Amino acid sequence: MSSAFIADTERSLLLLRVKELEEHHATFRDSVICAFNQLLDLKDLSTGVHSTRLAEWAIRVARKLNVPEDRLYQVEVAALLHDVGKIGVPDAILKKAAPLTAEERTVINRHPEYSWSILRLFSGLEEASLYALHHHESVDGSGYPAGLKGHDIPLVSRIVSVIDAYDAMVSNRCYRKGLPHEEAIRRLVASSGTQFDSEVVQAFIPIAEQEADQVFAAAGTSSSAAL
């Protein structure tokens, strides 16, 4: 048996082993993502459902805005786990029915940083962690945590910002009822160019129009519910 044949065999075995390790890593990473989403469900049932819905919307908006297909996994993870940092926010604040104090608002505003600090620890999720970190930035620079402005905010963060805001507005919370679909859209449009990216808002509106009835049905209300 020639040394060349042995070398080729060893090389093939090594490549096969590397492929197996990569597949195991991808499987483990996906399991971690599912586990974190389950944790969100355990923390607050509506958060987990909310995140799953956002992941679907984010991919559709990203495709409309020509985000490359090979980046869509990062888009999905960022939308799915953008709020994973809320695990670090006390329930007394997260589920408070009364208005938050300034100190409590400071605590809850740290959740994007908590999300980043968790996601960045997992190999392959560094990009998604940055998108989660900046999903509460505003295009006029008034957002948090970094006060980024305009296109300095990652596009995926701008996408998550819009769809997160819409879903939050139409969803019932312990401290308020959800808004009607039309009012939520009006507020998105009114805040375009200040809080929200105008192009993202326009890309998302047809999706919201198409799925509004399903979203409100899941919430046990209707898209034209009174304020």
Side-chain angles (χ1 to χ4, degrees), residues 56 102 144 182 192 215 218 223:
E56 297 171 357
Y144 60 90
E182 291 78 7
S192 294
V215 172
S223 59

Side-chain angles (χ1 to χ4, degrees), residues 17 21 24 91 106 114 161 174:
R17 180 56 178 160
L21 290 172
H24 285 315
D91 283 350
T106 297
Y114 299 157
S161 175
C174 58

Side-chain angles (χ1 to χ4, degrees), residues 35-51:
F36 274 132
N37 198 44
Q38 182 63 34
L39 280 173
L40 288 173
D41 272 339
L42 293 173
K43 180 77 171 179
D44 179 353
L45 181 59
S46 64
T47 300
V49 174
H50 156 89
S51 298

Side-chain angles (χ1 to χ4, degrees), residues 112-129:
E113 297 171 70
Y114 299 157
S115 295
W116 168 79
S117 69
I118 294 169
L119 295 178
R120 73 184 181 90
L121 297 177
F122 293 91
S123 177
L125 298 185
E126 297 88 352
E127 184 180 342
S129 75

Side-chain angles (χ1 to χ4, degrees), residues 62 67-77 124 127-128 131 156:
V67 173
E69 288 290 319
D70 62 359
R71 309 316 306 156
L72 293 184
Y73 180 77
Q74 300 294 328
V75 174
E76 180 180 13
V77 173
E127 184 180 342
Y131 299 151
V156 177

Side-chain angles (χ1 to χ4, degrees), residues 25-225:
H25 175 262
T27 299
F28 174 74
R29 183 181 60 193
D30 290 344
S31 296
V32 168
I33 291 168
C34 291
F36 274 132
N37 198 44
Q38 182 63 34
L39 280 173
L40 288 173
D41 272 339
L42 293 173
K43 180 77 171 179
D44 179 353
L45 181 59
S46 64
T47 300
V49 174
H50 156 89
S51 298
T52 301
R53 185 159 58 232
L54 260 63
E56 297 171 357
W57 287 347
I59 290 175
R60 293 170 64 183
V61 174
R63 284 192 170 121
K64 280 190 170 188
L65 298 178
N66 300 314
V67 173
E69 288 290 319
D70 62 359
R71 309 316 306 156
L72 293 184
Y73 180 77
Q74 300 294 328
V75 174
E76 180 180 13
V77 173
L80 189 66
L81 297 180
H82 67 284
D83 274 343
V84 69
K86 286 185 176 179
I87 292 172
V89 178
D91 283 350
I93 295 176
L94 198 59
K95 300 179 181 180
K96 185 177 179 180
L100 298 179
T101 66
E103 292 78 13
E104 291 168 338
R105 177 58 59 185
T106 297
V107 171
I108 202 167
N109 283 0
R110 294 292 303 277
H111 81 268
E113 297 171 70
Y114 299 157
S115 295
W116 168 79
S117 69
I118 294 169
L119 295 178
R120 73 184 181 90
L121 297 177
F122 293 91
S123 177
L125 298 185
E126 297 88 352
E127 184 180 342
S129 75
L130 289 175
Y131 299 151
L133 174 65
H134 296 299
H135 78 275
H136 275 295
E137 306 284 0
S138 297
V139 295
D140 65 358
S142 65
Y144 60 90
L148 298 183
K149 187 175 183 179
H151 286 87
D152 289 338
I153 306 168
L155 173 58
V156 177
S157 300
R158 285 178 269 146
I159 291 172
V160 174
S161 175
V162 169
I163 61 179
D164 182 39
Y166 171 81
D167 197 72
M169 283 190 283
V170 301
S171 299
N172 291 327
R173 293 289 186 261
C174 58
Y175 48 87
R176 60 150 175 83
K177 291 184 177 180
L179 297 174
H181 165 74
E182 291 78 7
E183 176 61 16
I185 293 297
R186 187 196 69 77
R187 294 189 184 193
L188 286 181
V189 173
S191 296
S192 294
T194 52
Q195 182 177 357
F196 305 118
D197 183 296
S198 300
E199 187 178 11
V200 174
V201 170
Q202 291 306 312
F204 174 64
I205 287 176
I207 296 172
E209 296 283 356
Q210 180 182 357
E211 299 195 0
D213 288 342
Q214 298 177 34
V215 172
F216 282 87
T221 181
S222 67
S223 59
S224 59

